[in-house]
PDB file of all heavy atoms in Angstrom:
ATOM      1  N   SER A 149     -11.236  13.829   6.965  1.00 96.00           N
ATOM      2  CA  SER A 149     -11.761  14.499   8.159  1.00 96.00           C
ATOM      3  C   SER A 149     -10.640  15.217   8.902  1.00 96.00           C
ATOM      4  O   SER A 149     -10.809  15.573  10.056  1.00 96.00           O
ATOM      5  CB  SER A 149     -12.405  13.463   9.081  1.00 96.00           C
ATOM      6  OG  SER A 149     -11.415  12.548   9.516  1.00 96.00           O
ATOM      7  N   SER A 150      -9.489  15.405   8.245  1.00 96.00           N
ATOM      8  CA  SER A 150      -8.331  16.006   8.931  1.00 96.00           C
ATOM      9  C   SER A 150      -8.074  17.424   8.501  1.00 96.00           C
ATOM     10  O   SER A 150      -8.409  17.821   7.382  1.00 96.00           O
ATOM     11  CB  SER A 150      -7.046  15.247   8.597  1.00 96.00           C
ATOM     12  OG  SER A 150      -7.118  13.962   8.995  1.00 96.00           O
ATOM     13  N   CYS A 151      -7.419  18.143   9.390  1.00 98.00           N
ATOM     14  CA  CYS A 151      -6.970  19.494   9.100  1.00 98.00           C
ATOM     15  C   CYS A 151      -5.675  19.679   9.887  1.00 98.00           C
ATOM     16  O   CYS A 151      -5.667  19.464  11.103  1.00 98.00           O
ATOM     17  CB  CYS A 151      -8.047  20.477   9.548  1.00 98.00           C
ATOM     18  SG  CYS A 151      -7.539  22.196   9.448  1.00 98.00           S
ATOM     19  N   VAL A 152      -4.594  20.027   9.178  1.00 97.00           N
ATOM     20  CA  VAL A 152      -3.275  20.117   9.828  1.00 97.00           C
ATOM     21  C   VAL A 152      -2.735  21.533   9.657  1.00 97.00           C
ATOM     22  O   VAL A 152      -2.608  22.021   8.529  1.00 97.00           O
ATOM     23  CB  VAL A 152      -2.284  19.099   9.204  1.00 97.00           C
ATOM     24  CG1 VAL A 152      -0.967  19.110   9.970  1.00 97.00           C
ATOM     25  CG2 VAL A 152      -2.875  17.698   9.179  1.00 97.00           C
ATOM     26  N   ILE A 153      -2.426  22.181  10.781  1.00 97.00           N
ATOM     27  CA  ILE A 153      -2.002  23.582  10.746  1.00 97.00           C
ATOM     28  C   ILE A 153      -0.731  23.749  11.576  1.00 97.00           C
ATOM     29  O   ILE A 153      -0.573  23.111  12.627  1.00 97.00           O
ATOM     30  CB  ILE A 153      -3.132  24.501  11.310  1.00 97.00           C
ATOM     31  CG1 ILE A 153      -4.400  24.414  10.430  1.00 97.00           C
ATOM     32  CG2 ILE A 153      -2.660  25.960  11.443  1.00 97.00           C
ATOM     33  CD1 ILE A 153      -4.293  24.987   9.023  1.00 97.00           C
ATOM     34  N   SER A 154       0.176  24.631  11.094  1.00 96.00           N
ATOM     35  CA  SER A 154       1.415  24.918  11.825  1.00 96.00           C
ATOM     36  C   SER A 154       1.261  26.188  12.638  1.00 96.00           C
ATOM     37  O   SER A 154       0.492  27.090  12.274  1.00 96.00           O
ATOM     38  CB  SER A 154       2.570  25.096  10.837  1.00 96.00           C
ATOM     39  OG  SER A 154       2.831  23.879  10.172  1.00 96.00           O
ATOM     40  N   ASN A 155       2.008  26.239  13.725  1.00 96.00           N
ATOM     41  CA  ASN A 155       2.045  27.440  14.561  1.00 96.00           C
ATOM     42  C   ASN A 155       3.514  27.772  14.767  1.00 96.00           C
ATOM     43  O   ASN A 155       4.202  27.135  15.572  1.00 96.00           O
ATOM     44  CB  ASN A 155       1.342  27.140  15.904  1.00 96.00           C
ATOM     45  CG  ASN A 155       1.221  28.370  16.772  1.00 96.00           C
ATOM     46  OD1 ASN A 155       2.127  29.184  16.825  1.00 96.00           O
ATOM     47  ND2 ASN A 155       0.104  28.480  17.466  1.00 96.00           N
ATOM     48  N   ASP A 156       4.002  28.749  13.995  1.00 94.00           N
ATOM     49  CA  ASP A 156       5.438  29.039  14.018  1.00 94.00           C
ATOM     50  C   ASP A 156       5.888  29.534  15.383  1.00 94.00           C
ATOM     51  O   ASP A 156       6.998  29.224  15.825  1.00 94.00           O
ATOM     52  CB  ASP A 156       5.798  30.079  12.940  1.00 94.00           C
ATOM     53  CG  ASP A 156       5.708  29.485  11.534  1.00 94.00           C
ATOM     54  OD1 ASP A 156       5.486  28.258  11.423  1.00 94.00           O
ATOM     55  OD2 ASP A 156       5.855  30.247  10.553  1.00 94.00           O
ATOM     56  N   ALA A 157       5.030  30.311  16.042  1.00 94.00           N
ATOM     57  CA  ALA A 157       5.425  30.861  17.343  1.00 94.00           C
ATOM     58  C   ALA A 157       5.686  29.737  18.346  1.00 94.00           C
ATOM     59  O   ALA A 157       6.581  29.836  19.178  1.00 94.00           O
ATOM     60  CB  ALA A 157       4.342  31.802  17.859  1.00 94.00           C
ATOM     61  N   LEU A 158       4.907  28.674  18.244  1.00 93.00           N
ATOM     62  CA  LEU A 158       5.078  27.545  19.169  1.00 93.00           C
ATOM     63  C   LEU A 158       5.969  26.456  18.571  1.00 93.00           C
ATOM     64  O   LEU A 158       6.201  25.432  19.203  1.00 93.00           O
ATOM     65  CB  LEU A 158       3.707  26.929  19.509  1.00 93.00           C
ATOM     66  CG  LEU A 158       2.662  27.856  20.124  1.00 93.00           C
ATOM     67  CD1 LEU A 158       1.352  27.105  20.371  1.00 93.00           C
ATOM     68  CD2 LEU A 158       3.192  28.425  21.444  1.00 93.00           C
ATOM     69  N   ARG A 159       6.429  26.654  17.355  1.00 90.00           N
ATOM     70  CA  ARG A 159       7.160  25.651  16.570  1.00 90.00           C
ATOM     71  C   ARG A 159       6.429  24.303  16.635  1.00 90.00           C
ATOM     72  O   ARG A 159       7.005  23.263  16.952  1.00 90.00           O
ATOM     73  CB  ARG A 159       8.594  25.524  17.065  1.00 90.00           C
ATOM     74  CG  ARG A 159       9.522  25.330  15.878  1.00 90.00           C
ATOM     75  CD  ARG A 159      10.962  25.495  16.190  1.00 90.00           C
ATOM     76  NE  ARG A 159      11.457  24.432  17.038  1.00 90.00           N
ATOM     77  CZ  ARG A 159      12.718  24.338  17.440  1.00 90.00           C
ATOM     78  NH1 ARG A 159      13.606  25.217  17.069  1.00 90.00           N
ATOM     79  NH2 ARG A 159      13.102  23.354  18.203  1.00 90.00           N
ATOM     80  N   ALA A 160       5.143  24.358  16.325  1.00 92.00           N
ATOM     81  CA  ALA A 160       4.309  23.153  16.409  1.00 92.00           C
ATOM     82  C   ALA A 160       3.500  22.990  15.135  1.00 92.00           C
ATOM     83  O   ALA A 160       3.174  23.969  14.454  1.00 92.00           O
ATOM     84  CB  ALA A 160       3.360  23.265  17.600  1.00 92.00           C
ATOM     85  N   LYS A 161       3.210  21.750  14.805  1.00 94.00           N
ATOM     86  CA  LYS A 161       2.311  21.438  13.693  1.00 94.00           C
ATOM     87  C   LYS A 161       1.337  20.394  14.219  1.00 94.00           C
ATOM     88  O   LYS A 161       1.762  19.327  14.659  1.00 94.00           O
ATOM     89  CB  LYS A 161       3.113  20.896  12.508  1.00 94.00           C
ATOM     90  CG  LYS A 161       2.276  20.573  11.280  1.00 94.00           C
ATOM     91  CD  LYS A 161       3.155  20.130  10.124  1.00 94.00           C
ATOM     92  CE  LYS A 161       2.320  19.804   8.916  1.00 94.00           C
ATOM     93  NZ  LYS A 161       3.108  19.268   7.798  1.00 94.00           N
ATOM     94  N   ARG A 162       0.068  20.721  14.226  1.00 94.00           N
ATOM     95  CA  ARG A 162      -0.909  19.838  14.860  1.00 94.00           C
ATOM     96  C   ARG A 162      -2.108  19.621  13.947  1.00 94.00           C
ATOM     97  O   ARG A 162      -2.454  20.500  13.154  1.00 94.00           O
ATOM     98  CB  ARG A 162      -1.425  20.447  16.167  1.00 94.00           C
ATOM     99  CG  ARG A 162      -0.374  20.708  17.212  1.00 94.00           C
ATOM    100  CD  ARG A 162      -0.055  19.433  17.998  1.00 94.00           C
ATOM    101  NE  ARG A 162       1.084  19.655  18.874  1.00 94.00           N
ATOM    102  CZ  ARG A 162       1.014  20.160  20.108  1.00 94.00           C
ATOM    103  NH1 ARG A 162      -0.153  20.482  20.598  1.00 94.00           N
ATOM    104  NH2 ARG A 162       2.099  20.314  20.840  1.00 94.00           N
ATOM    105  N   GLY A 163      -2.759  18.498  14.153  1.00 95.00           N
ATOM    106  CA  GLY A 163      -3.962  18.206  13.388  1.00 95.00           C
ATOM    107  C   GLY A 163      -5.185  18.159  14.277  1.00 95.00           C
ATOM    108  O   GLY A 163      -5.082  17.982  15.489  1.00 95.00           O
ATOM    109  N   THR A 164      -6.332  18.350  13.650  1.00 97.00           N
ATOM    110  CA  THR A 164      -7.588  18.090  14.347  1.00 97.00           C
ATOM    111  C   THR A 164      -8.482  17.346  13.365  1.00 97.00           C
ATOM    112  O   THR A 164      -8.275  17.405  12.156  1.00 97.00           O
ATOM    113  CB  THR A 164      -8.239  19.404  14.856  1.00 97.00           C
ATOM    114  OG1 THR A 164      -9.343  19.065  15.696  1.00 97.00           O
ATOM    115  CG2 THR A 164      -8.748  20.286  13.725  1.00 97.00           C
ATOM    116  N   ASN A 165      -9.453  16.614  13.906  1.00 95.00           N
ATOM    117  CA  ASN A 165     -10.323  15.810  13.046  1.00 95.00           C
ATOM    118  C   ASN A 165     -11.784  16.114  13.312  1.00 95.00           C
ATOM    119  O   ASN A 165     -12.154  16.446  14.435  1.00 95.00           O
ATOM    120  CB  ASN A 165     -10.083  14.312  13.304  1.00 95.00           C
ATOM    121  CG  ASN A 165      -8.769  13.854  12.709  1.00 95.00           C
ATOM    122  OD1 ASN A 165      -7.726  14.057  13.301  1.00 95.00           O
ATOM    123  ND2 ASN A 165      -8.808  13.307  11.528  1.00 95.00           N
ATOM    124  N   GLY A 166     -12.581  15.987  12.281  1.00 95.00           N
ATOM    125  CA  GLY A 166     -14.016  16.187  12.450  1.00 95.00           C
ATOM    126  C   GLY A 166     -14.743  15.918  11.138  1.00 95.00           C
ATOM    127  O   GLY A 166     -14.314  16.378  10.068  1.00 95.00           O
ATOM    128  N   ASP A 167     -15.819  15.154  11.222  1.00 95.00           N
ATOM    129  CA  ASP A 167     -16.589  14.865  10.004  1.00 95.00           C
ATOM    130  C   ASP A 167     -17.297  16.100   9.474  1.00 95.00           C
ATOM    131  O   ASP A 167     -17.603  16.171   8.283  1.00 95.00           O
ATOM    132  CB  ASP A 167     -17.610  13.761  10.280  1.00 95.00           C
ATOM    133  CG  ASP A 167     -16.958  12.380  10.281  1.00 95.00           C
ATOM    134  OD1 ASP A 167     -15.984  12.192   9.523  1.00 95.00           O
ATOM    135  OD2 ASP A 167     -17.407  11.513  11.042  1.00 95.00           O
ATOM    136  N   VAL A 168     -17.562  17.083  10.357  1.00 97.00           N
ATOM    137  CA  VAL A 168     -18.328  18.245   9.895  1.00 97.00           C
ATOM    138  C   VAL A 168     -17.548  19.107   8.908  1.00 97.00           C
ATOM    139  O   VAL A 168     -18.148  19.917   8.209  1.00 97.00           O
ATOM    140  CB  VAL A 168     -18.827  19.151  11.043  1.00 97.00           C
ATOM    141  CG1 VAL A 168     -19.849  18.442  11.898  1.00 97.00           C
ATOM    142  CG2 VAL A 168     -17.687  19.689  11.877  1.00 97.00           C
ATOM    143  N   PHE A 169     -16.224  18.945   8.868  1.00 97.00           N
ATOM    144  CA  PHE A 169     -15.499  19.749   7.880  1.00 97.00           C
ATOM    145  C   PHE A 169     -14.935  18.921   6.722  1.00 97.00           C
ATOM    146  O   PHE A 169     -14.044  19.349   6.019  1.00 97.00           O
ATOM    147  CB  PHE A 169     -14.435  20.657   8.536  1.00 97.00           C
ATOM    148  CG  PHE A 169     -13.390  19.959   9.370  1.00 97.00           C
ATOM    149  CD1 PHE A 169     -12.302  19.343   8.773  1.00 97.00           C
ATOM    150  CD2 PHE A 169     -13.477  19.971  10.748  1.00 97.00           C
ATOM    151  CE1 PHE A 169     -11.321  18.728   9.533  1.00 97.00           C
ATOM    152  CE2 PHE A 169     -12.501  19.355  11.528  1.00 97.00           C
ATOM    153  CZ  PHE A 169     -11.421  18.736  10.913  1.00 97.00           C
ATOM    154  N   ARG A 170     -15.499  17.741   6.530  1.00 97.00           N
ATOM    155  CA  ARG A 170     -15.189  17.067   5.257  1.00 97.00           C
ATOM    156  C   ARG A 170     -15.805  17.921   4.147  1.00 97.00           C
ATOM    157  O   ARG A 170     -16.953  18.382   4.276  1.00 97.00           O
ATOM    158  CB  ARG A 170     -15.792  15.663   5.215  1.00 97.00           C
ATOM    159  CG  ARG A 170     -15.084  14.668   6.137  1.00 97.00           C
ATOM    160  CD  ARG A 170     -15.595  13.269   5.888  1.00 97.00           C
ATOM    161  NE  ARG A 170     -15.200  12.330   6.906  1.00 97.00           N
ATOM    162  CZ  ARG A 170     -14.309  11.339   6.726  1.00 97.00           C
ATOM    163  NH1 ARG A 170     -13.714  11.176   5.560  1.00 97.00           N
ATOM    164  NH2 ARG A 170     -14.032  10.504   7.710  1.00 97.00           N
ATOM    165  N   PRO A 171     -15.061  18.158   3.068  1.00 98.00           N
ATOM    166  CA  PRO A 171     -15.612  19.009   2.010  1.00 98.00           C
ATOM    167  C   PRO A 171     -16.955  18.503   1.484  1.00 98.00           C
ATOM    168  O   PRO A 171     -17.203  17.300   1.410  1.00 98.00           O
ATOM    169  CB  PRO A 171     -14.528  18.954   0.936  1.00 98.00           C
ATOM    170  CG  PRO A 171     -13.272  18.728   1.716  1.00 98.00           C
ATOM    171  CD  PRO A 171     -13.669  17.807   2.830  1.00 98.00           C
TER     172      PRO A 171
END
Side-chain angles (χ1 to χ4, degrees):
S149 63
S150 299
C151 172
V152 185
I153 297 293
S154 294
N155 185 321
D156 289 354
L158 302 179
R159 218 167 68 179
K161 182 176 180 185
R162 300 278 172 86
T164 189
N165 286 81
D167 281 328
V168 294
F169 57 80
R170 288 189 193 250

